[in-house]
Amino acid sequence: MSTWEKQSFSIECQREGMSAFFPKEGKYDEKKGNVLFVSHIVDRTGAPLVLFDLMKHYQKTYNVFLVTMMDGNLRDEIVQQNIPVFIGMPVNMKHVMEKLRADEFEQIWINTLICHGFVMLFQNTDIPVFWWFHEPEPLFRLYYERMPELPLYSDNIKIVAVSRLVQKTIFKYYHIKSKLLHMPVKDFGGAERESENNKVIFFMPARFQRTKGHDVIAKAILGMPEEYRKRTEFWFAGAKDEREPDYYELICSLSRAYPETVKVLGELSRDCVYEIYQKCDCVIAPSREDATPTTIVEGLMFECICICSDTAGIAQYLTNGENAFIVKSQDERVLQKCIEYVVDHKKELDTLRKAGRLL
């Protein structure tokens, strides 16, 4: 065993001015090969959390290093998992890689479209590079003019999609047949669910932003008869998006108007979110466009009733009314009626819950 600080990659990253965060107790295993992961940020949002799960899987046979363009509230948890974190941009990485042996890493994993600046560093090399896409179509439209070269990358760079919907989007824009790699989710479900609540609890863990449809569910709540609002609680967890603060303020305003019905829980750790899955009745994702989302996969794992929009990637794996409920995107009336149906028939939906977990 050795220390992470003494590794050549660690030394060169710091020489290039990259911030470095090393595990205090974990060690570098000289008997293992190295794998490098690249993320645009290390926060508790979908793509970084999914990448973290993949990194933990790779740790069984490799030493794992992580480079991120932006720091975030998931960083300390990653470091505690015995993974060093380096913060820098593609230009920093270019200089680092120029000073290392060609076989320093056995594989490179690059996460999301946003990290496209790192991909060119490995063009025409022998290092296997897996570029994992998680984005909905609007981001492909945004990045299309910035990276028209996608079909021209060398054979060592493999394009990977997190869902069938993302696969279709990649083909639509670039005519590339990508590999499919679903998100790894460690199974924490299957245990006895907590006793029933007096109210029907709907849970929406997601960053407050337009694409997630917070305004759609707000309209659905406002449209519900008072008798249904008295029988329900809506719990919202997630970070405020500073670029789109209106969606967070909207839900906060709703919680002030209906304090017994709408609860804003703030940004929670994954452990806290998992505890809520075991307490709530239904997980909702009324997304305008979403590659999966992870929250519905986790909700199914915990045998929650799940409601998602038809534009979410996970909808392609579900059968409406059999293992989940699929509603038309941006249609608050349809969402409202589905919510009211769950309230009226909650005790009759055990078969649907169990079918969802079996997916």
Side-chain angles (χ1 to χ4, degrees):
M1 293 287 187
S2 181
T3 61
W4 291 101
E5 292 92 330
K6 293 181 179 179
Q7 305 315 306
S8 55
F9 181 77
S10 303
I11 293 169
E12 295 301 335
C13 283
Q14 291 179 92
R15 283 177 178 170
E16 285 301 320
M18 297 170 67
S19 299
F21 300 89
F22 297 106
K24 293 182 179 179
E25 299 180 1
K27 297 293 184 181
Y28 175 90
D29 190 342
E30 295 173 345
K31 297 178 181 179
K32 294 181 178 180
N34 299 332
V35 174
L36 174 65
F37 288 79
V38 178
S39 180
H40 68 289
I41 193 170
V42 283
D43 64 2
R44 290 191 175 91
T45 53
L49 284 169
V50 168
L51 187 71
F52 187 23
D53 286 337
L54 185 64
M55 288 191 289
K56 287 186 281 189
H57 175 77
Y58 263 80
Q59 278 188 300
K60 298 173 184 177
T61 48
Y62 294 96
N63 295 301
V64 171
F65 294 77
L66 175 66
V67 168
T68 178
M69 291 194 290
M70 295 178 62
D71 201 359
N73 55 16
L74 188 62
R75 184 243 298 162
D76 289 344
E77 190 175 341
I78 293 172
V79 173
Q80 290 169 8
Q81 186 64 32
N82 196 33
I83 299 172
V85 175
F86 305 87
I87 303 174
M89 301 302 287
V91 64
N92 305 116
M93 272 291 295
K94 179 178 184 296
H95 296 148
V96 170
M97 297 307 296
E98 287 172 347
K99 299 172 184 176
L100 299 178
R101 300 191 322 267
D103 62 350
E104 183 75 23
F105 295 105
E106 295 187 21
Q107 292 181 27
I108 311 286
W109 279 86
I110 297 176
N111 209 36
T112 75
L113 277 169
I114 303 171
C115 292
H116 68 96
F118 290 90
V119 181
M120 284 298 295
L121 305 181
F122 307 102
Q123 174 79 343
N124 296 318
T125 67
D126 293 328
I127 306 173
V129 176
F130 301 94
W131 191 4
W132 199 15
F133 289 178
H134 302 257
E135 286 82 359
E137 186 168 345
L139 279 175
F140 278 89
R141 288 197 297 269
L142 177 65
Y143 274 84
Y144 182 70
E145 292 185 0
R146 303 185 193 182
M147 40 180 274
E149 76 285 355
L150 189 63
L152 305 178
Y153 283 120
S154 50
D155 291 342
N156 65 305
I157 297 171
K158 308 298 182 184
I159 307 301
V160 185
V162 76
S163 69
R164 293 173 190 162
L165 180 61
V166 176
Q167 267 190 321
K168 292 178 180 178
T169 305
I170 293 169
F171 189 80
K172 175 180 176 180
Y173 282 84
Y174 294 103
H175 302 287
I176 294 174
K177 292 184 178 180
S178 56
K179 299 292 184 180
L180 183 63
L181 177 65
H182 293 125
M183 63 183 68
V185 178
K186 186 175 180 180
D187 189 1
F188 288 94
E192 187 79 19
R193 288 181 59 82
E194 295 191 12
S195 58
E196 290 192 358
N197 308 292
N198 293 327
K199 291 185 175 183
V200 182
I201 296 177
F202 294 84
F203 183 38
M204 183 174 170
R207 181 182 288 272
F208 290 84
Q209 53 190 192
R210 181 180 185 278
T211 188
K212 295 297 183 181
H214 286 88
D215 56 321
V216 180
I217 191 170
K219 292 175 184 176
I221 294 170
L222 286 169
M224 290 167 55
E226 184 62 25
E227 63 172 292
Y228 281 95
R229 280 198 290 269
K230 289 180 178 179
R231 297 165 62 189
T232 58
E233 287 186 9
F234 292 84
W235 296 359
F236 293 89
K240 176 181 179 181
D241 192 322
E242 297 300 335
R243 296 166 299 180
E244 300 179 306
D246 291 351
Y247 295 93
Y248 175 77
E249 297 301 335
L250 172 63
I251 299 301
C252 287
S253 296
L254 203 61
S255 71
R256 290 191 290 270
Y258 301 104
E260 301 302 317
T261 301
V262 178
K263 315 290 183 182
V264 180
L265 308 180
E267 191 171 8
L268 304 177
S269 68
R270 179 175 283 191
D271 287 344
C272 290
V273 171
Y274 277 16
E275 287 178 13
I276 293 175
Y277 285 138
Q278 297 180 69
K279 299 176 182 177
C280 72
D281 299 290
C282 181
V283 178
I284 300 185
S287 310
R288 284 181 164 84
E289 292 182 272
D290 213 320
T292 307
T294 307
T295 57
I296 294 297
V297 177
E298 293 171 339
L300 294 168
M301 175 176 71
F302 281 98
E303 291 190 16
C304 300
I305 301 164
C306 290
I307 301 174
C308 72
S309 64
D310 57 2
T311 52
I314 190 65
Q316 297 188 13
Y317 300 81
L318 303 173
T319 302
N320 184 40
E322 183 176 307
N323 43 39
F325 293 109
I326 303 170
V327 297
K328 185 178 179 181
S329 177
Q330 301 188 75
D331 192 328
E332 66 271 13
R333 287 290 297 165
V334 172
L335 177 59
Q336 176 192 327
K337 292 302 179 185
C338 188
I339 290 170
E340 292 172 3
Y341 181 88
V342 171
V343 174
D344 290 334
H345 299 87
K346 186 185 80 167
K347 294 182 179 180
E348 304 163 24
L349 293 173
D350 283 349
T351 300
L352 179 139
R353 293 176 189 266
K354 296 183 184 303
R357 175 168 166 77
L358 289 174
L359 283 173

